[in-house]
Amino acid sequence: MSNEEVPETRGVSVQLLATVDLGPEIEGMEGRQLRMRMVTIDPGGVFGPLHDHKDRPGTVYILQGTITDHRNGAATEYGPGVGWPEDRNTTHWLENRGEIPAVEISVDIVKKQ
């Protein structure tokens, strides 16, 4: 799927829950932080566009609803109590095809802004 075919982000809210500056914690991690966010995708919402996780590894855990993860030409649905890794090989976009808001906890390592 090309970038033009992937819907833009809509119906998404993001709440920053916590960050940890990794520079003082782990040698070689200067300028990086561990970040935890709660992401809510409304019914019909999209977390796009197509994006990768090069230099930004993370994991996702679903608290409520169902999120459809589009990657490698496949759409996989994840519900509460499961999640997925996002590594340097991940290129994807997300949507909520369900009828209730989908809520995930996303934890990743990012460059400090």
Side-chain angles (χ1 to χ4, degrees), residues 4-17:
E4 294 80 37
E5 298 170 355
V6 177
E8 291 295 318
T9 297
R10 66 175 183 269
V12 175
S13 61
V14 179
Q15 179 184 0
L16 181 63
L17 300 176

Side-chain angles (χ1 to χ4, degrees), residues 16 18-23 28-37 52-58 107-113:
L16 181 63
T19 61
V20 174
D21 183 358
L22 294 176
M29 295 295 285
E30 290 76 21
R32 302 277 179 170
Q33 68 181 193
L34 181 64
R35 173 179 71 174
M36 180 170 54
R37 301 175 296 162
D52 65 43
H53 287 265
K54 290 182 175 87
D55 206 32
R56 190 173 57 94
V107 178
D108 54 4
I109 296 173
V110 297
K111 290 181 180 177
K112 286 174 51 176
Q113 298 182 357

Side-chain angles (χ1 to χ4, degrees), residues 30-82:
E30 290 76 21
R32 302 277 179 170
Q33 68 181 193
L34 181 64
R35 173 179 71 174
M36 180 170 54
R37 301 175 296 162
M38 182 166 50
V39 178
T40 301
I41 306 174
D42 294 333
V46 171
F47 196 144
L50 187 68
H51 63 277
D52 65 43
H53 287 265
K54 290 182 175 87
D55 206 32
R56 190 173 57 94
T59 59
V60 172
Y61 181 82
I62 308 300
L63 295 174
Q64 167 186 300
T66 302
I67 295 176
T68 303
D69 180 25
H70 296 267
R71 65 171 89 184
N72 303 323
T76 305
E77 289 190 352
Y78 295 93
V82 297

Side-chain angles (χ1 to χ4, degrees), residues 87-109:
D87 62 16
R88 68 177 178 259
N89 298 312
T90 301
T91 300
H92 69 153
W93 64 280
L94 308 171
E95 72 175 320
N96 178 356
R97 296 177 176 175
E99 297 183 10
I100 65 168
V103 180
E104 69 177 44
I105 297 296
S106 175
V107 178
D108 54 4
I109 296 173

